[in-house]
Amino acid sequence: MLDITNLHATVADKPILNGVSLHVPAGEVHAIMGPNGSGKSTLAYVLAGRPGYEVSEGSATFGGADLLAMEPHERAAAGLFLGFQYPVEISGVSYLQFLRESLNAQRRARGEAELSGAEFIKLAREQAAALGMDAEMLKRPVNVGFSGGEKKRAEMVQMGIMQPRFAVLDETDSGLDIDALRIVGEGINRIMRAADKGVLLITHYERLLEHVRPDRVHVLQAGRITRSGDIELARDLEREGYAEVAA
Amino acid sequence: MTAPFPTRKQEGWRYADLDALQPVWEQFAEPLTLTVGPGEGFEEVWLPVADDVQVRRMQIALEAGAKARLFVLNTAPVYGRIELDVSLAEGAEFELTGANIGTGLSTNEIVTTVKHIGENGRSRQTVRSVLNGKATGSYLGKVGVARGAQKTDAGQSVKAMLLDRGATANCKPELEIFADDVKCAHGASVGELDAMQLFYAESRGLDPASARALLLEGFVMGLWDSAKDGDAIREAAREALRRVVG
């Protein structure tokens, strides 16, 4: 479903990714772990198409299409979702308006009918409730005044509303307390565990993986995948650290 | 007798489009006057009209405890000027919330003089500008606090968004204070749309033009939230943004 081959990328002319190869088949959840500065967030941004993140070599295809040739909004319409490590605040625009316009833009691009206001509000309420978020918060400006944990939970509500085919989740677990972590883990399973969907879960910690149970775990170090394994690899890392396990 | 035609040497007219003003000066030479009596309230929404040149000049005297709120949208195709000269007696409150939205070669400006004459007055001025093409948008705001006007609380917040290298924003909050126990705050910023906000919106499926339009809407639309009758100005602002963002 997502095929990354020998991907090299630079940010401000500095090489960050140095030949990442990764294959995530439909129906699987893969986790990427790695120390600070190893290139995890860069990989997420490159996949979503953030300006300034330049691919210098290699390829990434999504469902057979050249992902890197698409604009960010085209990637979203194709079914790619990026859960941001630091969700962005937008004052003056309510979450409801933001998500409704975004979802309908995606649907238009796919040739699907747009949702009416009532249909959208019903969907938003359902997804907020499923993630234990007060639907009233969706009337507030996007992420303004939200705590770190609320922002991450709101990212998952967005994912539930968008129903992507593939999610790249960049440290969605950071800033969450234990209960919120469980709710977010359950949300990922509920929304994304399906035969025709896939997830790339970027994390520092093994704890979220106990909820989500990835099919594969990869270690990213210095812009390259240095080890791959099953969830036992994540447990080893948690116990012994990156230096010991992946060196 | 018509008041003399202004010159650019006058501070309040330095960014004005005097060529556009000249042919119509006679109708605008005398500002309208309004007195709000003690304890009374006044609220008005000023919508743009279809004319190329749109000038509104008003002198407002707020007597003790009077309150005035103005919501204004300045989006003339050639030259728009909203000029206010406000005096506040004891305990009076004045609130101006406005936007300049322009494109092409247009000049839109909000020029204010707010004079706190009595004690305990409060004034708030919030102006947002969205400028594209070679448009100019200005806010010139002078706040004066007279010798006896202790406990004055005056605020000015001015922000401009430039969408094109050719666009110009002028922000000039100015204070003249002759009392010692006062609170006068002002802030001004000129910027472009935030790249991370744009990317966030695009990553959710909005094409670049729609993402820009949404962010600009957020920049301007929050202004009208507290207006009693804000629907018309909200719709006019939305329309102006659509025209200016293109």
Side-chain angles (χ1 to χ4, degrees):
Chain A
M1 185 168 209
L2 179 70
D3 285 288
I4 303 170
T5 308
N6 190 33
L7 191 66
H8 289 66
T10 59
V11 181
D13 291 330
K14 195 177 157 207
I16 308 286
L17 300 183
N18 301 303
V20 174
S21 293
L22 188 63
H23 170 64
V24 185
E28 293 195 2
V29 172
H30 287 209
I32 292 198
M33 304 182 77
N36 290 327
S38 58
K40 301 189 299 297
S41 288
T42 298
L43 177 61
Y45 283 140
V46 166
L47 292 175
R50 181 174 170 188
Y53 286 65
E54 304 292 338
V55 173
S56 50
E57 204 183 325
S59 67
T61 62
F62 177 46
D66 181 0
L67 189 64
L68 303 177
M70 296 184 213
E71 298 291 318
H73 67 283
E74 295 167 338
R75 300 180 197 203
L80 184 80
F81 178 87
L82 172 61
F84 279 62
Q85 183 181 2
Y86 303 107
V88 178
E89 297 182 5
I90 305 177
S91 57
V93 178
S94 79
Y95 240 123
L96 285 173
Q97 184 191 1
F98 178 65
L99 293 179
R100 185 177 164 208
E101 287 194 18
S102 302
L103 178 62
N104 279 335
Q106 286 191 24
R107 294 179 69 98
R108 272 196 307 276
R110 292 193 292 258
E112 298 166 6
E114 295 185 29
L115 292 192
S116 70
E119 287 168 328
F120 176 77
I121 285 180
K122 184 165 174 281
L123 172 65
R125 283 186 182 285
E126 284 167 4
Q127 292 300 329
L131 281 145
M133 185 173 144
D134 183 356
E136 287 297 302
M137 286 183 76
L138 296 174
K139 292 181 181 166
R140 298 192 351 211
V142 178
N143 291 320
V144 176
F146 285 40
S147 72
E150 285 168 343
K151 287 178 182 173
K152 292 303 179 67
R153 212 183 274 227
E155 290 286 292
M156 295 299 97
V157 173
Q158 294 187 42
M159 186 169 79
I161 289 170
M162 303 294 178
Q163 290 292 332
R165 292 165 60 209
F166 197 95
V168 178
L169 303 179
D170 188 5
E171 296 198 21
T172 297
D173 49 350
S174 65
L176 295 180
D177 62 35
I178 293 169
D179 291 341
L181 197 65
R182 180 180 48 76
I183 291 168
V184 163
E186 288 168 2
I188 296 170
N189 290 332
R190 176 179 57 82
I191 299 161
M192 298 304 297
R193 272 289 186 191
D196 57 348
K197 294 187 170 192
V199 176
L200 194 58
L201 195 60
I202 295 171
T203 181
H204 264 302
Y205 307 105
E206 184 258 347
R207 187 169 269 155
L208 179 64
L209 303 185
E210 295 296 339
H211 294 291
V212 180
R213 295 301 179 119
D215 300 282
R216 296 284 288 167
V217 174
H218 310 277
V219 179
L220 187 68
Q221 283 182 303
R224 230 181 242 118
I225 291 190
T226 52
R227 278 201 56 184
S228 296
D230 58 18
I231 194 166
E232 282 307 322
L233 174 58
R235 291 179 183 140
D236 291 347
L237 286 168
E238 180 82 7
R239 226 174 15 247
E240 296 169 33
Y242 292 110
E244 285 296 318
V245 173
Chain B
M1 194 188 77
T2 306
F5 190 69
T7 77
R8 279 172 175 275
K9 284 184 183 151
Q10 291 166 266
E11 183 56 32
W13 294 92
R14 60 186 288 188
Y15 301 113
D17 184 345
L18 296 179
D19 293 339
L21 182 66
Q22 180 96 61
V24 293
W25 172 245
E26 242 172 82
Q27 352 166 8
F28 302 116
E30 290 308 318
L32 300 172
T33 57
L34 170 78
T35 300
V36 184
E40 285 178 14
F42 172 82
E43 176 168 334
E44 216 166 73
V45 172
W46 290 3
L47 295 172
V49 291
D51 301 347
D52 280 348
V53 178
Q54 300 172 35
V55 178
R56 288 182 184 250
R57 309 176 69 205
M58 193 181 245
Q59 288 176 353
I60 304 174
L62 299 176
E63 298 188 342
K67 286 180 188 171
R69 302 173 86 202
L70 279 177
F71 296 86
V72 304
L73 175 60
N74 206 13
T75 182
V78 176
Y79 177 52
R81 177 179 175 96
I82 289 169
E83 183 187 320
L84 297 165
D85 188 325
V86 184
S87 66
L88 290 85
E90 188 181 345
E93 290 182 23
F94 172 67
E95 213 176 285
L96 169 69
T97 306
N100 293 311
I101 302 177
T103 187
L105 293 165
S106 65
T107 298
N108 280 282
E109 55 189 4
I110 295 175
V111 180
T112 65
T113 304
V114 173
K115 292 173 286 201
H116 286 266
I117 294 167
E119 286 186 15
N120 281 312
R122 184 177 182 277
S123 64
R124 286 289 176 275
Q125 300 180 66
T126 308
V127 175
R128 301 288 177 261
S129 298
V130 175
L131 305 163
N132 206 348
K134 292 195 161 86
T136 299
S138 306
Y139 167 79
L140 304 177
K142 190 187 237 179
V143 173
V145 181
R147 204 168 301 279
Q150 302 295 3
K151 308 280 185 199
T152 286
D153 178 359
Q156 293 164 286
S157 163
V158 194
K159 288 183 186 167
M161 207 61 95
L162 302 179
L163 305 184
D164 190 294
R165 282 164 181 270
T168 305
N170 302 300
C171 301
K172 194 173 181 233
E174 199 181 342
L175 295 170
E176 199 175 66
I177 305 174
F178 292 101
D180 53 14
D181 183 14
V182 302
K183 198 162 91 186
C184 295
H186 60 80
S189 75
V190 178
E192 297 164 8
L193 288 173
D194 180 81
M196 203 58 196
Q197 288 183 335
L198 278 172
F199 173 58
Y200 192 60
E202 289 173 29
S203 80
R204 294 301 180 247
L206 293 172
D207 62 66
S210 304
R212 277 158 60 106
L214 186 75
L215 294 185
L216 287 169
E217 199 176 315
F219 180 69
V220 170
M221 301 311 285
L223 288 172
W224 325 114
D225 286 349
S226 69
K228 275 194 201 118
D229 193 10
D231 287 349
I233 201 164
R234 214 170 278 131
E235 194 39 52
R238 216 172 258 136
E239 229 177 85
L241 280 175
R242 271 196 288 268
R243 180 166 46 78
V244 163
V245 176

